[in-house]
Amino acid sequence: MRPFHFLVTVACLTAIAGCSGASRNDPGLTSPSTPQPTNTVSGTVTFKGAALAGVTITLWLTNSNVVVSTATTDSNGNYSFSGLSTSGNVPADYQIYANKAGYAFYPSAPSPGKVERFDHTGQFIESQTLGVAMYFTVIDFVSLPNAPLAGADFTAYDGTNPLVSLAATGQTESYASGDDGALKQGAAWPATRFTDNQDGSVTNNLTGLIWLKDAGCFAPATWPTALADVNQLASGACGLSDGSTAGKWRLPNLNELESLIDVSSANPALAPSNRFINVGEGIYWTSTGYYGGVLGSPTAWVIRLSDGAYVNDSLQNLKAASTNGVWAVRGPGNGAARLQATGLFQPPLQTGDDGTLQMGVPLAGSRFIENGDGTVTDAMTGLVWLKQANCIQGDWATAVVAVTKLASGQCGLTDGSAAGTWRMPNRKEMQSLADRNINNESDYLNFTYLNPDHSVYQRAILTYFVEAEDYWTSSTYAADTTEAWSVYSCDFGVYNTPKSAIQYTLAVRNATD
């Protein structure tokens, strides 16, 4: 039976740090006529190691939720702010972020700066009312006396220097020309996918993550118990002799558990390996809350290891009531195919969950780059996506062919692409678009963010990305090859669907094609 999709549309609460509304002594930029101790912020923006000029740096004051100043990087990529208040009823809490058309940015900063994701939903017209979130990746800086911030730097990305390299799905058999098995897109698997470390742990040589060898050591448990049990795992338990201490192991987030899935396999749907023991074929927990942007979500993402399907039926993924399999992982994962973070950052419900740890390569700010030619580039992966998301529809075989024939002049394209350039995304490529802190992916991808003066801050990432519909991937469902994997547009869950079904397709290509 196809999983039931639990749909929610909740207005995201804007979690602005500090006091809302201006106070009597609201801090900001200090008036020149009032001599007081002040601070400075300075930094440099680079692209591929070279200075990047013309980047707008915004200084946002969270105490009153306003932009207090902007600066533009010079020919050396430098910028600075001065006169930042160090007095007032409460310390001035500033956030700094970067923007320039054609680029995404990720910041870095020493103390007293701190890099974090932050909800700026309320900054835009209608976004808070309609429940469509906008998250920035910022440098947060609390301005205290004699504590200036230097080295508040940003690195720029345009898709030619992607932050992650997606792995291949593992599918080798082709079921249609141009499908996953024919193209085998993604980083190739190493000849030795897993290495038994002879200490109760196994290393995934593709991602660099280290997994507990005994996948059945922990009894099935509720989500809170699973998090607590794994957090206490240490050498001496579960066959471990690796010297690890409590707190080193964690429950895998959704992207980490997904990284074990081999779409060419079933029963279980894991890459062939004799390195693990006691791997069950049932449902396993991840540390990623379902619809992470909804505070207090009662469910979490789970994956069924018999076939690799995501399960979301509000019965088998209830945090407090469902009992599912528990597997442990550790390490940052510095392999050839580093995993991107899920995007979840909301306040944790329990120590060790995804929002607490935020493992993986963090999501860059403004990661989707509008190319003005009917395409959008994802700076995280370097993939180029068709912007018009409702142009191609049909059964699986028909859609695969239609995408291979896609070319400039069709579906709003003016990019000069030729037939044979585009492809239907495989399972990992389609999944890579997700931000698990978003409470409705289709709303977010379709939304145009307007500034208070009604000017456009960000146009819709995609146009006509259809809500509550499934989008094909080119990856066939190994348990029944008359079906293929599809991604549900609202929650970006991965579900198996008969290839005869009529569904949409979002075309993708490499930046170099």
Side-chain angles (χ1 to χ4, degrees):
M1 178 181 295
R2 178 174 179 73
F4 169 71
H5 300 300
F6 176 58
L7 300 180
V8 292
T9 301
V10 179
C12 296
L13 299 178
T14 306
I16 301 297
C19 301
S20 61
S23 65
R24 184 170 55 189
N25 292 320
D26 188 36
L29 293 175
T30 300
S31 169
S33 63
T34 309
Q36 301 177 39
T38 61
N39 269 336
T40 60
V41 171
S42 60
T44 304
V45 182
T46 57
F47 172 60
K48 297 182 178 180
L52 184 61
V55 179
T56 299
I57 309 296
T58 299
L59 185 68
W60 169 272
L61 182 63
T62 70
N63 306 69
S64 51
N65 303 333
V66 295
V67 173
V68 294
S69 187
T70 60
T72 303
T73 57
D74 61 20
S75 59
N76 294 314
N78 297 326
Y79 76 92
S80 64
F81 297 103
S82 60
L84 277 66
S85 175
T86 59
S87 62
N89 293 343
V90 292
D93 186 353
Y94 297 98
Q95 292 184 348
I96 305 109
Y97 49 91
N99 288 99
K100 183 176 183 178
Y103 297 92
F105 296 90
Y106 196 80
S108 61
S111 181
K114 180 176 65 174
V115 174
E116 62 182 19
R117 294 192 87 195
F118 203 85
D119 189 343
H120 277 256
T121 303
Q123 188 173 336
F124 303 101
I125 294 175
E126 293 187 321
S127 59
Q128 188 170 13
T129 302
L130 297 177
V132 186
M134 169 61 88
Y135 303 122
F136 288 177
T137 306
V138 303
I139 298 171
D140 190 82
F141 170 56
V142 177
S143 182
L144 299 175
N146 304 310
L149 176 61
D153 299 337
F154 293 85
T155 301
Y157 301 88
D158 71 347
T160 63
N161 56 339
L163 287 88
V164 298
S165 176
L166 297 179
T169 68
Q171 189 159 103
T172 56
E173 185 174 353
S174 176
Y175 300 89
S177 179
D179 74 349
D180 186 8
L183 301 181
K184 301 178 181 65
Q185 290 290 319
W189 292 7
T192 303
R193 176 73 188 276
F194 297 99
T195 297
D196 188 335
N197 299 318
Q198 304 300 318
D199 59 5
S201 71
V202 173
T203 297
N204 182 339
N205 295 313
L206 182 61
T207 64
L209 292 173
I210 300 171
W211 293 84
L212 183 64
K213 180 174 181 176
D214 187 350
C217 177
F218 293 102
T222 62
W223 191 75
T225 300
L227 286 169
D229 287 349
V230 173
N231 189 58
Q232 292 302 310
L233 180 62
S235 188
C238 291
L240 287 173
S241 59
D242 63 339
S244 61
T245 56
K248 296 296 184 182
W249 293 90
R250 63 183 180 272
L251 194 67
N253 67 30
L254 181 58
N255 290 351
E256 290 171 333
L257 189 57
E258 164 70 22
S259 73
L260 290 179
I261 300 300
D262 173 10
V263 302
S264 68
S265 300
N267 304 313
L270 300 180
S273 173
N274 58 2
R275 307 293 190 260
F276 298 111
I277 60 173
N278 299 321
V279 178
E281 295 185 5
I283 296 171
Y284 277 73
W285 285 116
T286 80
S287 65
T288 306
Y290 181 72
Y291 277 146
V294 180
L295 297 178
S297 172
T299 57
W301 281 108
V302 295
I303 298 180
R304 187 171 58 218
L305 292 192
S306 61
D307 58 0
Y310 291 21
V311 178
N312 171 38
D313 59 5
S314 297
L315 294 175
Q316 299 177 90
N317 63 336
L318 283 169
K319 291 177 179 177
S322 303
T323 55
N324 293 317
V326 182
W327 204 344
V329 69
R330 68 175 175 86
N334 292 321
R338 289 196 66 196
L339 302 177
Q340 66 187 45
T342 67
L344 186 63
F345 74 95
Q346 293 287 30
L349 297 179
Q350 185 167 331
T351 300
D353 76 352
D354 188 9
T356 307
L357 302 178
Q358 299 179 40
M359 299 303 297
V361 178
L363 303 186
S366 303
R367 62 180 280 197
F368 296 105
I369 299 168
E370 169 65 58
N371 297 318
D373 58 6
T375 70
V376 176
T377 298
D378 182 358
M380 289 298 299
T381 63
L383 294 174
V384 179
W385 294 88
L386 177 67
K387 188 175 179 72
Q388 189 173 329
N390 67 342
C391 187
I392 301 172
Q393 186 182 28
D395 61 60
W396 185 80
T398 299
V400 170
V401 173
V403 174
T404 62
K405 293 181 178 180
L406 181 64
S408 188
Q410 304 171 7
C411 297
L413 288 173
T414 58
D415 64 336
S417 59
T421 300
W422 294 90
R423 64 180 180 274
M424 181 185 287
N426 66 32
R427 170 170 164 151
K428 291 189 183 296
E429 289 172 330
M430 192 66 190
Q431 277 285 285
S432 72
L433 292 172
D435 180 340
R436 298 297 173 181
N437 214 77
I438 299 295
N439 63 11
N440 189 316
E441 304 279 355
S442 58
D443 282 352
Y444 165 67
L445 292 169
N446 273 316
F447 195 76
T448 297
Y449 294 87
L450 299 179
N451 292 309
D453 64 359
H454 293 267
S455 62
V456 174
Y457 176 82
Q458 178 181 291
R459 297 191 183 281
I461 296 165
L462 302 175
T463 55
Y464 312 112
F465 189 67
V466 187
E467 185 172 7
E469 290 286 348
D470 291 286
Y471 276 73
W472 286 121
T473 83
S474 63
S475 304
T476 289
Y477 179 61
D480 181 353
T481 59
T482 66
E483 299 184 353
W485 291 112
S486 61
V487 169
Y488 189 57
S489 64
C490 292
D491 67 8
F492 262 61
V494 183
Y495 309 107
N496 51 296
T497 307
K499 290 179 177 178
S500 58
I502 305 301
Q503 298 186 159
Y504 290 96
T505 295
L506 187 62
V508 69
R509 64 176 174 82
N510 298 327
T512 54
D513 291 340

